[in-house]
């Protein structure tokens, strides 16, 4: 008895040790850091930072490739990667090729934390690029900043990425929701004066930031209903009923595409036809049309997606996909037809290519042998607008990205601009003004010049 | 005597873990910490199922209770880590007691159904209390290594130490509990409730106690996981987590503590490993992100076909009685006793019209 117990104890110790060794060895051997035996004789390129070798720049991202947020958003990282492939096959960044490693976080913040630890600690990435989602990315901002890993061009318009004193490594990119709310609100104030306004928004930082911007512009007395939704509850009939009961003539929606579609279908069912004004993230006409048709089909009805998106007012900070003569749209079309022909050329693909272009701009500016800090310094000293219709706010004390957008209406599945580009700031009193500088054309090579 | 032996073994393991954590890369330390956090929760579940013969598909919810308790205590009261961990154990145990008493009369699939409800309902509470619980974004749990370790001490190594220490203490307590009168009474209840109650055991109380202990373990696991990942958010505690815990317990070998270790290793390592394999073989991100889910299913089917009593049972069969340890918790091989339906005749007696 005594003997067997002792053997048992020893075995338990041995087993645990073995298990730990297994933990240590599995999937081992990936990515030694930096110093691959670069032939220093032929090139001055050095392994100047983690994730940078003489021949490659490895960056990583967390994206929802499966799960509730995947429809539409899962096109973004393939589109970015397509642009990186294009750059790689045209000489790369000072000769280095970009390696873009994307992990699926299923839009779950806990998986995001694990993914980002893997990217930083095991895959040894130079920077986290375009991590998608407000709740997800908030889970890793502190970690990335304490580890001094550049966390650039987050794919979310939360104002929270602009905290240069506490989180200097993190930067936004897309038009933030406060500015967007102000621009939409300004348009509503001018064009729908005296009408009854209803809000429909996602009950988190995304929707709340948007509402903050709207309230800066729209007179309080005009707002007759404020209805929020929770992205895990797909029944929005109560909110739509309340909007109808309040007699809203214009409904402003800060929603993701699936909930814009649900709002539209529920309104249709109630024979409620307000003018819809939808935030850019929830209004991509192609994504929306697909969702409308598939949701209606699940409910046993047939609708025409394009017909239902017709007339939705929204805003855009990239050139409209409908303007075939725009040099940026021509570039997007070229990248799309060469590398991405399986995906539709929609707003998500344009987003992915445009943000990848911005990253390449910043990397060229960071220099031949950049450290991690060089990338942040490059962004802090400002970037030319590139594919964005409005300038970036980037400076040492501001990490907001795009500062403005044009208002547009959806016609036949594409955006038709309604006016000039409007720019503003995030303060309550800051005016919305017209930005008259016209957009610079895309470089003929499709690659930003160093 | 038993306690002394277990303590000795734990000491040996602790030394090995410390040495290993220094050798391992920062990311491996992070995974080690994750394994240890899940191990605590899975061990509690395997005791519940394998020893007391009850089933729970809701232990992920108790992990949420522990995780949120630790996040709230840290943000509002700023307690130190040990106190926070102890408090989350107490809070989760209390939650387990409430649920355990309410569900004490349920058994088999009915108990499973009730715990399933818990797993589905509890995460949405966070959305109802946006202000206090942070909604979908959750709460952050930022804990840094203590100052005496020095500023350059790798945080992940410290996390590995904390979680492994907590896991070892939990395992010692569970192993001792198993050898105690309570463990013997649980086995009696599991094997035959009527005989157990005829022998003077308070069956209901024993079952509730098992539930409380498994909830307490889940709570500690949840708190540890929150410390490791730095966040608690409802998305992490869905039904999928509860089922993953159950899967890990079954895969490892129900009712055995080493089995809980195997199960946790599979839970943490298989998904990352397979994603890497997928992407290094040129699969697209979308395709390689589906590989782990498919492979997990295959592993589950294969293990259940080849080793019906889990990995630990399989090891025991392969190496005979000599090498690896006999089951710590149970002398009998119990392939998934908890899901075994009582013989039809008995069932009718128990659940017949009343």
């Amino acid at each position: 008895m005594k003997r067997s117990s002792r053997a048992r104890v020893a075995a338990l110790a041995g087993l645990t040790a073995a298990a730990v060794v297994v933990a240590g060895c599995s999937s081992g051997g990936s990515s030694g850091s930096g110093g691959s035996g670069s032939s220093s004789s032929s090139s001055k390129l050095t392994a100047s930072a983690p994730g940078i070798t003489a021949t490659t720049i490895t960056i990583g991202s967390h994206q929802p490739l499966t799960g509730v947020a995947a429809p539409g958003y899962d096109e973004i990282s393939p589109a970015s990667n397509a642009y990186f492939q294009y750059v790689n096959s045209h000489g790369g960044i000072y000769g280095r090729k970009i390696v873009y490693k994307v992990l699926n976080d299923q839009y779950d913040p806990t998986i995001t934390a694990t993914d980002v630890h893997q990217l930083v600690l095991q895959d040894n990435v130079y920077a986290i690029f375009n991590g998608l989602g407000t709740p997800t990315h908030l889970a890793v901002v502190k970690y990335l900043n304490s580890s001094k890993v550049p966390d650039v061009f987050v794919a979310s318009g939360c104002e929270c990425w602009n905290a240069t004193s506490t989180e200097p490594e993190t930067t936004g990119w897309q038009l933030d929701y406060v500015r967007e709310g102000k621009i939409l609100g300004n348009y509503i104030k001018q064009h729908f004066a005296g009408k009854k306004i209803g809000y429909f928004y996602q009950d988190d930082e995304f929707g709340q930031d948007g509402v903050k911007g709207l309230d800066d512009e729209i007179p309080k007395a005009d707002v007759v209903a404020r209805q929020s939704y929770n992205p895990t509850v797909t029944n929005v009939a109560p909110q739509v009923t309340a909007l109808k009961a309040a007699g809203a003539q214009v409904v402003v929606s800060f929603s993701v595409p699936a909930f814009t579609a649900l709002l539209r279908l529920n309104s249709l069912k109630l024979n409620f036809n307000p003018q819809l004004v939808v935030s850019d993230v929830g209004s991509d006409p192609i994504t929306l049309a697909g969702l409308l048709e598939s949701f209606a089909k699940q409910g046993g009805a047939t609708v025409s997606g394009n017909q239902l998106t017709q007339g939705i007012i929204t805003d855009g900070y990239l050139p409209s996909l409908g303007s075939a003569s725009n040099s940026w749209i021509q570039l997007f079309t070229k990248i799309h037809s060469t590398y991405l022909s399986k995906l539709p050329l929609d707003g998500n693909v344009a987003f992915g290519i445009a943000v990848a272009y911005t990253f390449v701009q910043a990397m060229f500016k960071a220099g031949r042998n950049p450290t991690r800090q060089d990338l942040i310094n490059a962004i802090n000293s400002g970037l030319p607008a590139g594919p964005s219709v409005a300038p970036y706010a980037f400076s040492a004390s501001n990490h907001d990205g795009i500062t403005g957008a044009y208002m547009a209406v959806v016609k036949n599945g594409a955006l038709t601009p309604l006016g000039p580009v409007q720019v503003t700031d995030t303060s309550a009193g800051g005016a919305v003004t017209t930005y008259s500088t016209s957009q610079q054309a895309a470089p003929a090579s499709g690659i930003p010049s160093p | 005597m038993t306690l002394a032996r277990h303590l000795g073994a734990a000491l040996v393991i602790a030394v090995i873990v410390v040495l290993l954590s220094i050798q391992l890369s920062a990311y491996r330390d992070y995974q080690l910490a994750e394994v240890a956090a899940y191990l605590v929760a899975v061990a509690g579940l395997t005791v519940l199922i394998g020893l007391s013969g009850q089933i729970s598909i809701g232990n992920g919810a108790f992990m949420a209770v522990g995780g949120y308790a630790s996040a709230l205590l840290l943000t509002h009261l700023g307690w130190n880590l040990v106190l926070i961990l102890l408090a989350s154990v107490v809070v989760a145990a209390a939650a387990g007691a409430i649920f355990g008493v309410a569900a004490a009369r349920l058994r088999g699939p009915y108990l499973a159904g009730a715990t399933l409800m818990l797993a589905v309902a509890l995460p949405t509470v966070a959305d109802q209390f946006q202000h206090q619980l942070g909604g979908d974004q959750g709460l952050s749990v930022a804990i840094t290594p203590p100052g005496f370790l020095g500023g350059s001490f790798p945080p992940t190594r410290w996390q590995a130490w904390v979680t492994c220490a907590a896991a070892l203490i939990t395992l010692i307590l569970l192993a001792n509990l198993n050898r105690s009168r309570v463990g013997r009474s649980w086995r009696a209840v599991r094997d035959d409730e009527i005989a157990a109650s005829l022998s003077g055991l308070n069956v209901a109380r024993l079952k509730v106690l098992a539930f409380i202990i498994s909830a307490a373990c889940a709570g500690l696991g949840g708190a540890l996981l929150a410390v490791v990942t730095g966040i608690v958010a409802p998305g992490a505690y869905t039904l999928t987590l509860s089922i993953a815990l159950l899967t890990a317990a079954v895969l490892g070998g129900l009712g055995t503590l080493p089995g809980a270790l195997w199960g946790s290793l599979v839970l943490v390592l298989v998904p990352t490993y397979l994603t890497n394999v997928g992407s290094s073989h040129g699969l697209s991100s979308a395709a390689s992100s589906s590989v782990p889910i498919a492979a997990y299913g295959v592993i589950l089917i294969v293990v259940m076909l080849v080793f019906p009593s889990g990995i630990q049972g399989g090891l025991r069969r392969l190496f005979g009685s000599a090498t690896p340890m006999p089951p710590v918790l149970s002398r009998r091989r119990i392939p998934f006793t908890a899901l075994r339906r009582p013989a039809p005749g008995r069932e009718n007696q128990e659940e017949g019209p009343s």
Side-chain angles (χ1 to χ4, degrees):
Chain A
M1 172 65 200
K2 200 174 171 186
R3 206 183 147 82
S4 81
S5 287
R6 194 168 294 157
R8 192 173 303 171
V9 169
L12 180 56
L15 269 180
T16 313
V20 174
V21 172
V22 170
C25 299
S26 73
S27 83
S30 79
S31 76
S33 72
S36 79
S38 62
S39 49
S40 55
S41 56
S42 64
S43 163
K44 281 183 290 178
L45 294 175
T46 60
S48 54
I52 293 198
T53 69
T55 52
T56 58
I57 298 169
T58 304
I59 56 174
S61 189
H62 61 89
Q63 300 280 332
L65 301 176
T66 58
V68 283
Y73 294 160
D74 62 356
E75 297 163 8
I76 292 174
S77 53
S80 296
N81 201 36
Y83 183 70
F84 293 144
Q85 295 308 313
Y86 177 79
V87 172
N88 288 349
S89 64
H90 289 79
I93 297 176
Y94 297 116
R96 289 191 186 91
K97 287 190 170 15
I98 302 169
V99 179
Y100 185 31
K101 174 143 189 176
V102 178
L103 294 181
N104 178 13
D105 67 7
Q106 303 165 36
Y107 211 65
D108 173 347
T110 310
I111 304 182
T112 311
T114 304
D115 281 355
V116 168
H117 275 86
Q118 184 188 333
L119 290 168
V120 171
L121 298 174
Q122 180 175 264
D123 301 319
N124 203 33
V125 295
Y126 172 67
I128 296 293
F129 161 74
N130 203 227
L132 192 145
T134 307
T136 46
H137 200 72
L138 276 173
V140 293
V141 162
K142 283 202 180 91
Y143 168 70
L144 289 172
N145 278 275
S146 65
S147 314
K148 300 258 177 289
V149 178
D151 174 27
V152 297
F153 311 140
V154 180
S156 144
C158 182
E159 245 293 281
C160 39
W161 318 128
N162 178 24
T164 47
S165 55
T166 50
E167 283 146 13
E169 307 285 337
T170 302
T171 84
W173 180 77
Q174 71 195 67
L175 179 65
D176 61 85
Y177 304 132
V178 177
R179 281 189 173 87
E180 186 176 15
K182 286 175 72 175
I183 291 169
L184 294 176
N186 184 263
Y187 182 88
I188 291 166
K189 187 171 70 179
Q190 290 178 1
H191 292 82
F192 300 107
K195 294 248 164 100
K196 291 180 177 174
I197 317 288
Y199 291 174
F200 180 74
Y201 62 98
Q202 186 163 312
D203 201 0
D204 59 14
E205 298 265 1
F206 158 47
Q208 288 154 8
D209 275 4
V211 165
K212 198 171 125 195
L214 289 170
D215 280 342
D216 283 346
E217 294 291 329
I218 301 175
K220 278 249 153 56
D222 290 357
V223 184
V224 293
R226 293 165 182 268
Q227 293 293 319
S228 64
Y229 71 86
N230 175 327
T232 52
V233 182
T234 51
N235 178 15
V236 297
Q239 288 94 324
V240 180
T241 311
L243 287 165
K244 185 183 182 189
Q249 294 160 296
V250 178
V251 171
V252 201
S253 179
F254 268 85
S255 49
V256 294
F259 280 84
T260 314
L262 289 170
L263 168 67
R264 188 74 188 90
L265 288 173
N266 276 282
S267 307
L268 195 67
K269 215 190 273 175
L270 293 174
N271 201 18
F272 171 48
N273 286 307
Q275 171 64 51
L276 272 186
V277 180
V278 183
S279 147
D280 170 79
V281 285
S283 69
D284 176 57
I286 295 172
T287 310
L288 215 47
L291 285 167
L292 281 164
E293 281 167 15
S294 82
F295 286 168
K297 201 168 160 193
Q298 282 167 27
T302 313
V303 300
S304 153
N306 268 344
Q307 208 177 323
L308 287 182
T309 58
Q310 194 80 351
I312 290 179
I313 293 176
T314 182
D315 63 281
Y317 49 81
L318 297 176
S320 162
L321 286 165
S323 50
S325 60
N326 182 296
S327 58
W328 294 99
I329 299 305
Q330 287 164 356
L331 174 62
F332 294 170
T333 311
K334 182 161 95 181
I335 306 283
H336 174 262
S337 60
T338 316
Y339 297 95
L340 287 167
S341 48
K342 279 186 200 152
L343 297 178
L345 178 54
D346 61 10
N348 298 300
V349 167
F351 179 100
I353 297 174
V355 71
Y357 181 93
T358 313
F359 181 75
V360 173
Q361 271 182 315
M363 282 311 294
F364 270 121
K365 203 173 172 190
R368 273 183 75 82
N369 287 308
T371 61
R372 279 175 164 169
Q373 187 58 43
D374 286 338
L375 175 59
I376 299 300
N377 292 345
I379 296 170
N380 285 348
S381 63
L383 293 173
S388 157
V389 297
Y392 298 110
F394 296 132
S395 76
S397 58
N398 195 331
H399 276 180
D400 277 334
I402 299 171
T403 54
Y406 56 89
M407 294 299 299
V409 62
V410 177
K411 265 193 195 146
N412 305 322
L415 299 190
T416 305
L418 288 172
V421 174
Q422 307 282 316
V423 290
T424 186
D425 60 16
T426 55
S427 70
V432 178
T433 54
T434 299
Y435 179 73
S436 45
T437 315
S438 59
Q439 192 181 22
Q440 275 208 324
S445 64
I447 295 174
S449 48
Chain B
M1 261 318 272
T2 320
L3 181 64
R5 271 199 304 274
H6 287 154
L7 280 178
L11 203 67
V12 174
I13 297 169
V15 171
I16 295 173
V17 166
V18 168
L19 292 178
L20 251 164
S21 70
I22 295 172
Q23 293 297 313
L24 291 176
S25 72
Y27 181 63
R28 296 293 168 206
D29 277 344
Y30 180 82
Q31 287 190 312
L32 182 62
E34 272 193 309
V35 170
Y38 280 115
L39 172 56
V40 174
V42 175
L45 187 61
T46 207
V47 164
L48 179 75
I49 302 176
L51 271 189
S52 85
Q54 303 180 87
I55 190 163
S56 167
I57 316 181
N59 271 28
F62 294 121
M63 285 185 81
V65 170
Y68 273 98
S70 60
L72 290 171
L73 288 171
L74 185 73
T75 356
H76 296 300
L77 301 176
W79 287 7
N80 84 33
L81 182 57
V82 176
L83 278 180
I84 287 175
L85 293 180
L86 287 175
S88 26
V89 171
V90 172
V91 173
I98 295 168
F99 188 81
V101 169
R105 293 168 65 94
L106 301 175
R107 63 192 67 219
Y110 305 97
L111 179 63
T115 56
L116 178 73
M117 178 199 76
L118 194 66
V120 172
L122 207 63
T124 59
V125 170
D127 290 322
Q128 299 303 315
F129 299 94
Q130 282 262 353
H131 252 12
Q132 294 79 14
L133 302 179
D136 272 344
Q137 257 153 256
L139 302 169
S140 86
V141 186
I143 288 182
T144 45
F148 65 83
L149 289 170
S152 60
F153 194 83
T156 51
R157 189 184 300 162
W158 188 73
Q159 286 172 348
W161 287 4
V162 170
T163 49
C164 288
L168 270 177
I169 294 169
T170 310
L171 291 183
I172 293 170
L173 293 176
L174 289 179
N176 274 282
L177 195 65
N178 166 56
R179 295 294 216 80
S180 72
R181 185 177 151 163
V182 176
R184 287 191 296 277
S185 309
W186 275 342
R187 286 193 289 275
V189 170
R190 178 197 68 200
D191 290 342
D192 194 330
E193 275 187 29
I194 296 164
S197 77
L198 283 175
S199 325
L201 294 177
N202 186 334
V203 172
R205 186 186 295 166
L206 281 164
K207 288 179 128 185
V208 174
L209 180 67
F211 221 94
I212 293 174
I213 287 173
S214 113
C217 289
L220 179 59
L224 291 171
L225 199 63
V227 170
V228 174
T229 55
I231 185 165
V232 277
Y237 303 103
T238 53
L239 181 60
T240 322
L241 172 67
S242 294
I243 291 176
L245 292 177
L246 184 62
T247 315
V250 174
L251 263 181
L254 271 179
T256 67
L257 291 182
L261 177 61
W262 304 133
S264 314
L265 282 170
V266 171
L267 201 62
V268 173
L269 296 181
V270 168
T272 23
Y273 178 64
L274 287 172
T275 313
N276 291 345
V277 168
S279 49
S280 64
H281 282 68
L283 289 178
S284 73
S285 302
S288 60
S289 63
S290 308
V291 169
I293 305 164
Y296 207 66
V298 172
I299 291 179
L300 200 60
I301 293 168
V302 169
V303 169
M304 288 298 98
L305 279 178
V306 182
F307 307 128
S309 46
I311 297 174
Q312 179 62 14
L315 286 175
R316 217 181 304 140
R317 207 167 67 190
L318 285 178
F319 296 103
S321 57
T323 349
M325 48 177 311
V328 173
L329 290 178
S330 149
R331 301 195 163 273
R332 289 194 327 146
R333 232 177 257 168
I334 32 159
F336 219 10
T337 323
L339 287 181
R340 189 182 64 193
R341 290 175 65 86
R346 241 178 87 196
E347 189 174 50
N348 288 342
Q349 273 173 21
E350 282 168 0
E351 285 149 19
S354 52

